[in-house]
């Protein structure tokens, strides 16, 4: 309703408004696509018409249970060509209708791609290759747009910060980077798997900037921090990521533009002398989404220092 009212009142929708604002500040504006958002698994009102019309494209039906995968029966199955075609069509539609500077594919909403992983089985090489093929199609599309408008069109991804965990999900990160199919990598989300230095080394190897993602649930085990004591945690986490060599900091579900973290955690020099709680949080045990939620024996991929 809010987006509809904005369009009615201004003649421009929310994405157009964001693009206008960002470009007025000389900032790049990305549109983020949730690769398998499944909030509709628990609320039928959110189930889109396309999913309703094609239940065979989903992992299961309401009430189905799975060994892993967080019970996300409404996840689309990327092992099916019509699903991959639909996703490419959505990305193409947005990329061609809006003056955005790039698209982000957010794998943390939610990290499941194939039926096999939800059954606790290994994803097949053919499924992995098919998913890599989707990225090749995305890159061809964005390169065509970039050539037409004579400026870059970038592809960003937010992924679990482990090459092996990503492959278990069906994402061949090394091939995506090796074939130059990705321009920016953001690691981590609900949980973190490896020291930041691992992500930094991956970025340097393939000459791709990497960002460290911070989510409240992981940092303090639940809730949204807003007290002075909590901001010290954000400072410490950011400082340690900067020390490891990341190119930037990424926050998720921080909605207040006046939040002081936006004026602090992007400045490693200021953080050096700021009052902070130095830590690097990996898995919040009271968070509903942990490594083993999405991959059988997923905890084995956690490699803390």
């Amino acid at each position: 309703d809010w987006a509809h009212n904005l369009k009615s009142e201004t003649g421009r929708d929310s994405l157009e408004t964001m693009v206008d604002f960002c470009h007025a500040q000389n900032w790049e504006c990305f549109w983020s696509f949730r690769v398998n958002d499944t909030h509709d698994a628990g609320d039928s009102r959110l189930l889109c018409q396309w999913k309703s019309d094609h239940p065979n494209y989903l992992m299961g039906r309401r009430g189905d249970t799975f060994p892993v995968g967080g019970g996300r029966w409404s996840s689309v199955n990327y092992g099916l060509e019509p699903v991959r075609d639909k996703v490419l069509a959505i990305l193409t539609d947005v990329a061609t209708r809006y003056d955005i500077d790039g698209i982000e594919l957010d794998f943390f909403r939610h990290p499941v791609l194939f039926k096999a992983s939800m059954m606790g089985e290994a994803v097949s090489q053919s499924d992995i290759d098919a998913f890599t093929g989707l990225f090749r199609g995305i890159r061809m599309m964005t390169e065509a747009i970039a050539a037409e408008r004579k400026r870059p069109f970038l592809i960003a991804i937010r992924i679990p910060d482990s090459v092996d965990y990503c492959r278990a999900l069906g994402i061949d990160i090394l091939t995506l980077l090796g074939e130059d199919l990705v321009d920016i990598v953001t690691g981590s989300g609900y949980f973190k798997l490896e020291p930041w230095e691992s992500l930094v080394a991956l970025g340097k190897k393939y000459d791709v900037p990497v960002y460290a993602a911070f989510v409240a649930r992981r940092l303090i085990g639940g809730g949204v921090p807003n007290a002075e004591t909590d901001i010290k945690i954000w400072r410490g986490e950011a400082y340690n990521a900067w020390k490891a060599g990341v190119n930037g900091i990424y926050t998720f579900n921080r909605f207040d533009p006046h939040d002081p973290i936006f004026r602090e955690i992007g400045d490693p020099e200021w953080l050096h002398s700021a009052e902070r709680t130095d830590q690097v949080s990996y898995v919040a045990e009271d968070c509903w989404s942990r490594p083993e939620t999405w991959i059988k024996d997923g905890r084995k991929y956690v490699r803390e220092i």
Side-chain angles (χ1 to χ4, degrees):
D1 291 341
W2 175 85
H4 175 75
N5 291 337
L6 177 66
K7 183 75 171 180
S8 299
E9 293 172 7
T10 68
R12 303 183 72 72
D13 64 26
S14 54
L15 182 52
E16 289 173 305
T17 301
M18 288 302 300
V19 169
D20 291 345
F21 175 80
C22 289
H23 288 176
Q25 320 305 316
N26 199 29
W27 298 342
E28 291 177 327
C29 183
F30 281 63
W31 177 67
S32 184
F33 174 77
R34 295 183 171 188
V35 175
N36 229 336
D37 189 295
T38 52
H39 284 85
D40 51 13
D43 188 343
S44 59
R45 296 171 300 174
L46 301 177
L47 198 69
C48 71
Q49 191 62 51
W50 182 76
K51 283 187 174 183
S52 296
D53 291 343
H54 302 283
N56 55 312
Y57 295 167
L58 309 183
M59 299 296 189
R61 297 177 183 272
R62 190 177 303 279
D64 287 351
T65 59
F66 301 90
V68 291
R72 301 289 164 154
W73 63 270
S74 63
S75 303
V76 296
N77 183 358
Y78 279 86
L80 302 175
E81 186 174 2
V83 170
R84 299 192 300 273
D85 289 345
K86 178 66 172 180
V87 168
L88 180 57
I90 292 171
L91 297 174
T92 302
D93 177 58
V94 175
T96 53
R97 287 198 298 119
Y98 294 88
D99 191 27
I100 53 178
D101 300 285
I103 53 178
E104 178 197 55
L105 286 88
D106 183 358
F107 287 92
F108 261 101
R109 280 294 194 270
H110 291 100
V112 61
L113 299 172
F114 299 102
K115 190 73 168 284
S117 62
M118 292 192 70
M119 300 304 296
E121 302 167 358
V123 176
S124 69
Q125 186 61 49
S126 61
D127 277 344
I128 294 173
D129 292 343
F131 196 71
T132 301
L134 171 60
F135 264 85
R136 294 188 184 107
I138 295 170
R139 177 61 98 188
M140 288 179 62
M141 177 266 292
T142 59
E143 289 291 284
I145 293 173
E148 181 177 347
R149 70 184 192 180
K150 296 181 173 55
R151 79 174 196 271
F153 193 108
L154 305 178
I155 300 173
I157 55 175
R158 184 165 79 108
I159 55 171
D161 59 315
S162 161
V163 170
D164 292 337
Y165 192 91
C166 283
R167 187 169 183 85
L169 289 171
I171 314 166
D172 185 354
I173 294 299
L174 297 183
T175 296
L176 298 184
L177 292 172
E179 293 188 13
D180 192 28
L181 302 177
V182 171
D183 300 299
I184 301 171
V185 174
T186 298
S188 185
Y190 295 114
F191 50 83
K192 176 173 167 51
L193 298 165
E194 298 189 13
W196 290 122
E197 285 80 359
S198 298
L199 190 66
V200 169
L202 189 68
K204 288 182 177 179
K205 180 178 180 179
Y206 292 99
D207 195 25
V208 170
V210 297
Y211 286 69
F214 297 128
V215 178
R217 285 189 176 116
R218 175 171 62 82
L219 267 55
I220 64 171
V224 178
N226 53 23
E228 178 63 22
T229 53
D230 295 323
I231 200 170
K232 295 175 186 176
I233 294 175
W234 289 79
R235 291 171 180 168
E237 288 271 357
Y239 181 65
N240 282 296
W242 282 117
K243 280 201 308 180
V246 300
N247 299 98
I249 304 295
Y250 180 118
T251 64
F252 185 82
N253 274 1
R254 297 292 297 216
F255 305 112
D256 182 1
H258 303 292
D259 193 325
I261 68 167
F262 297 129
R263 297 187 295 276
E264 296 182 358
I265 63 174
D267 187 344
E269 292 186 11
W270 183 88
L271 289 171
H272 177 72
S273 56
E275 188 176 3
R276 63 182 191 270
T277 300
D278 284 334
Q279 67 171 42
V280 178
S281 175
Y282 284 76
V283 180
E285 297 300 338
D286 62 347
C287 180
W288 72 273
S289 176
R290 300 182 299 279
E292 62 271 23
T293 304
W294 310 104
I295 293 295
K296 183 181 179 182
D297 301 324
R299 191 62 68 110
K300 71 181 181 182
Y301 296 96
V302 180
R303 298 167 184 166
E304 301 183 38
I305 293 178

